[in-house]
Structure formats: structure tokens, C-alpha cells
Amino acid sequence: MDSQTVDASPQTGEGRPAATLKRNALGVLGILFFVLSAQAPLTGIAGAVPIAVAVGNGAGAPAAYAIAGAVILLFSVGFVAMGRHVVNAGAFYTYIGKGLGRTTGSGSAAVALFAYCTVQAAMYGLYGFTVSGLVEHYSGAHIAWWVWALVTMGVVQVLGAAGIELGAKVLAVFVLAEFSILLVFALVTLVKGGGPEGLDFGGTFSPSAVLQGAPGVALMFAVASMFGFEATAIYGEEAREPHKTVPRATYLSVAVVTGFFAFVSWMLVSSYGPSKVTAAAGKALAGGDSTVFVFAPIAAQFGGWVDDVLPILLGTSLFAGILAFHNSANRYLFSLSREGLLPGRLRTLNHRHSPWAAGLVQTAIAVLLVMPFALAGKDPVLTLFSWFSGVGVLACMLLYFLTSVSVIVFFRRERLDTRRWNTLIAPALGALGIAAVIWVVLTNFTTLIGGDATTALWLVLAVPAVLLLGAGTARVVHGR
């Protein structure tokens, strides 16, 4: 074994070489599109920014995205350092297992699956609601939201099984469309010198603006919008030159996502004016459609046709996110099967080297998570989307924290990389920042899910319960 690497070659639970995903299938841009799809830019802007402004710190909300990006960047330094030595579709599971032991790693794998599947289910709720509304608006036909969710599950299953390259091409089209219209709006607003109060950089990024209102709430929604960038490591086995491609894709993803959300949200604030933006966001929320806060200034800039295009792009944005999380979750199932923690059937690949069996299970999980809300007649946005997106973000924050700690432990023990900034200082600062974010999320969790305290408590407790269940299963399977 190379003295500078840790053996991460795929093995079955019995130690035999296992089937591998398709090699050299993705470059930096291909991975970047999967990451941007998971973040669903238009969904993040139209869904999170109005709440961050109205309930959080008003005109200072864009700064929360910059702060969240700084915390994620610190985390990424250790994440990338580990990725140079460990390449596996299990990502979090493998990274945490290398530093904190197989049992903790297995528990984290269960949490990762929980996070990806719940966030995907949340997206199905908002997606079904959005598509149902679009169809009724243009055709007059009322078809229940869950019908569209089920149909889309079938489409996603087919695309997931068709191979990683096709998925990347489909996502590229959708992501470029939503990304472009928001970026062009922001650039035009910038060139025009902002809105009625000008650009007013200080009105958004000064310490007084950042700390006004409830900055913790804004930070919470900012972090939630960035969830999914860690998928760069999940595709390491399918990347060209993964030891170069994954680090580049990771840093590029963090930079693009942070810059995009901070810049676009700043231009939205500017289009209203810092002194008026909080009231405008509050009015949109009170009206029951927060997207009006985002869509109205874009329509004012480009014309009424935007009001027809943006809702459609919101639907494609959600579809892209759903497909991205499907691919992430089925690779976790595949990796856990390969490790002997799940039935061997799940590591079956088709002729396109796609984990189709794991994909079927992931689709079945989506059905099991979504349909109880449909059968109970629950609002898909106020319950399914709000509850599951909140608990998914909390679960992912726990994974970030455990990964940062694992990086420190791993490199103190293995001494494969002696750069203190990369393997100790940045991961430690990242862990502290993430711990602070977790505290903010827990403190404001009822606000995040838009539910009551009892529901919030059950959702919060679900995360450590899944961690313990996964760890306990590993101990039983491995006899430890």
C-alpha cells in the first residue's frame, strides 16, 4: 500500500473485492452540477430568503450566507484532506469510521441516509404542490399533489438507473436555467446601482445590520440552503482523478454556492431597500406565498413573462434536487451493502454500472415517507416539506461535526498529512462553528419546521435515535 494513502478499495463484508461504480465518469463540472442540483438554487432563494429576512435579521440576511459559507469552508479543509486518502461512495460513513471507529461510522451512515431521504421526501412535498398548482393554472385540471410525486418517483428511478452521465446532463440543463435567471437579475440590479436606496453595502453587511433582529434564525436558514455540497465526495469513485477532482469540486462548490446566495440575496434586499425589505418579506409571508418576495422584483426588472417562467423553474429546480438526493442516497445503500451492513443484493450494478437495486430501495423509502402525509390529508408544504427539511438539516449538521472530529483524530493517529492547518486548526475551527450552528438550529427548531414544540421535540430526538440504531446494527452484524 502506498505510504501516503489508506486502503479504501471496495470490499464486501467478507473482505472480497466488490463491484465498483463506473470509473472516470465525472469531471469537476459534472460533480458541481450534482451539488448545485441538491441545493436547488431557486428553491433556496425563493423559500429561505424571505423567511430569513422577515423572521431573522432583515436587511442583514445576506451576510448570514457569507458567515455560513465561511464555516462550511473551514469544514471543507479537513473534509478535502481526508478525501485525498479515502475514496469511497460512503463518504461520511467512511470518513467518520476511519477516525472514530466502524461503529460510529455505521451510525453516521444511518444518519446520512436519514438526512438524504428526508430532505428528498420534503422536496417531493413542495414539488407535488408546485406541479399540481401549475397544471391547474394552465389546464384547469385538479390532480392531487401526491399523484405527481409518485409519477416523478418513477421517472427519477429510471434516470438514476440510466447511469451517472445522463443524470449529470439532465441536471445541468435544469440548474443552468434557474441559476442563470437569478444571476442575471442580480447582475442587472448591481449595474443599475441597486434599488431605491442604492446598493447600500453597509445597510446589509455592517456589524449593526448583521446583528439586528434574530441573526441566529437567518444563519439557520442560510446553512439549510447550503446543504448538499458534501456530495462531491460521494462521487469520488466515479470521478476522473478523484484525488484532484474531488478537492477542486468541493472548494468550487462552496465558493459558488456561498457567493451565489450572498450576492443574489443582497440584490433582492437592494431592490426593495434595506429600510423597507423586512416589511416586504413579512407581507409576502402573511399572504401565504413567500415566493412573491423574490418573483416580484425579477418581474419588475424583466417583465411579466417572468411570472409564468419562474414557477415552472421552481418545479424543475425541485426535480433536479430530488434526482441529486436519489443518487446520493442510493450510493450510500450500495456502499453499506458492500460493507456487509445491508443485504448483498443492494450492491448489484446494471450494465451502466448504476446501483439500480439500491435505487429501487431508495424509491421505496421515498414512497413510505411521502404517502402517510397524503393519506392523512396533511398540507405537503406546511408539514412534509417543513418538517423533513428541518430534521434533514439537523442530521447533516451532526454529520459535519462528527466528520471534523474524525479528521483530527485520524491524522493525529496516521500522520499521513502533517499540515496543521489542514488537519487540525481548520477542522477544529470548523467543528466549533458547526457546533454553534447546531445550537442555533436546536434553539430555533420550532421556527425552522413551522410546527409546534411537541413535533419539534420528536423530530429532534429522531436524529440521535437513528445514530444509535445504525451503530447498534453494526455491532450486531460485526459481532462487536
Side-chain angles (χ1 to χ4, degrees):
M1 182 173 67
D2 189 300
S3 61
Q4 295 302 306
T5 61
V6 171
D7 183 11
S9 57
Q11 303 284 322
T12 66
E14 294 78 27
R16 300 190 306 271
T20 58
L21 298 168
K22 188 172 184 179
R23 305 290 189 182
N24 302 315
L26 293 173
V28 172
L29 290 180
I31 296 175
L32 178 63
F33 281 124
F34 274 106
V35 171
L36 293 179
S37 299
Q39 264 132 12
L42 182 57
T43 305
I45 291 291
V49 172
I51 304 174
V53 172
V55 185
N57 58 346
Y65 288 96
I67 295 170
V71 172
I72 297 300
L73 182 61
L74 287 170
F75 164 80
S76 298
V77 174
F79 187 70
V80 165
M82 181 72 91
R84 293 184 186 278
H85 301 280
V86 181
V87 178
N88 189 288
F92 282 133
Y93 158 70
T94 311
Y95 289 12
I96 294 171
K98 289 293 182 182
L100 303 181
R102 173 177 281 184
T103 299
T104 305
S106 299
S108 69
V111 173
L113 267 175
F114 178 72
Y116 290 136
C117 289
T118 51
V119 169
Q120 188 204 44
M123 286 184 160
Y124 271 122
L126 183 55
Y127 171 85
F129 174 82
T130 301
V131 173
S132 178
L134 286 171
V135 171
E136 185 169 4
H137 175 74
Y138 287 108
S139 71
H142 177 72
I143 301 175
W145 67 269
W146 55 266
V147 173
W148 296 111
L150 288 176
V151 169
T152 302
M153 288 177 194
V155 175
V156 167
Q157 173 61 34
V158 171
L159 286 175
I164 196 71
E165 297 102 323
L166 179 60
K169 292 174 182 177
V170 171
L171 294 178
V173 173
F174 291 153
V175 169
L176 284 174
E178 60 181 299
F179 195 84
S180 297
I181 194 167
L182 290 171
L183 188 59
V184 169
F185 158 75
L187 288 172
V188 170
T189 303
L190 177 68
V191 171
K192 287 185 174 181
E197 299 174 30
L199 294 174
D200 195 1
F201 184 87
T204 293
F205 293 100
S206 67
S208 59
V210 174
L211 296 175
Q212 67 180 325
V217 173
L219 179 63
M220 176 180 64
F221 281 99
V223 170
S225 299
M226 296 183 181
F227 174 51
F229 84 93
E230 73 290 335
T232 52
I234 293 175
Y235 300 105
E237 286 185 35
E238 297 158 279
R240 293 188 287 272
E241 297 185 275
H243 296 293
K244 295 180 180 179
T245 300
V246 172
R248 291 171 183 171
T250 302
Y251 286 132
L252 181 61
S253 297
V254 174
V256 169
V257 170
T258 301
F260 175 81
F261 277 102
F263 178 50
V264 173
S265 60
W266 177 31
M267 290 301 99
L268 281 170
V269 169
S270 179
S271 67
Y272 286 98
S275 67
K276 300 176 182 178
V277 70
T278 303
K283 182 179 179 181
L285 291 180
D289 184 5
S290 63
T291 63
V292 171
F293 173 79
V294 176
F295 293 176
I298 298 178
Q301 194 77 263
F302 299 133
W305 62 269
V306 169
D307 290 326
D308 292 322
V309 172
L310 284 177
I312 295 173
L313 287 181
L314 178 59
T316 59
S317 171
L318 288 161
F319 177 83
I322 286 167
L323 178 57
F325 280 113
H326 171 81
N327 283 321
S328 295
N330 69 25
R331 278 154 180 75
Y332 260 92
L333 290 166
F334 169 82
S335 181
L336 290 174
S337 171
R338 200 166 56 185
E339 296 286 341
L341 291 170
L342 290 175
R345 180 71 173 171
L346 296 182
R347 59 176 177 263
T348 303
L349 300 174
N350 63 16
H351 68 287
R352 294 180 180 273
H353 290 266
S354 177
W356 68 273
L360 283 174
V361 171
Q362 199 286 314
T363 300
I365 292 172
V367 173
L368 292 174
L369 289 175
V370 169
M371 288 311 295
F373 288 84
L375 294 174
K378 296 292 186 181
D379 186 294
V381 178
L382 299 180
T383 57
L384 177 56
F385 177 74
S386 298
W387 296 0
F388 278 0
S389 58
V391 74
V393 168
L394 180 60
C396 202
M397 289 299 103
L398 175 60
L399 293 172
Y400 290 174
F401 178 78
L402 290 175
T403 300
S404 293
V405 174
S406 180
V407 168
I408 296 171
V409 173
F410 174 78
F411 285 111
R412 300 284 71 71
R413 183 176 65 237
E414 300 293 340
R415 297 293 178 180
L416 296 174
D417 188 334
T418 57
R419 297 173 298 172
R420 291 178 64 83
W421 169 256
N422 297 70
T423 63
L424 176 61
I425 298 173
L429 292 174
L432 290 173
I434 292 164
V437 171
I438 291 174
W439 179 82
V440 168
V441 169
L442 290 173
T443 303
N444 299 282
F445 197 71
T446 303
T447 300
L448 179 61
I449 67 166
D452 56 63
T454 301
T455 301
L457 178 61
W458 281 109
L459 290 172
V460 167
L461 292 177
V463 177
V466 169
L467 179 68
L468 293 174
L469 179 62
T473 300
R475 292 181 69 88
V476 171
V477 170
H478 295 292
R480 299 179 184 177

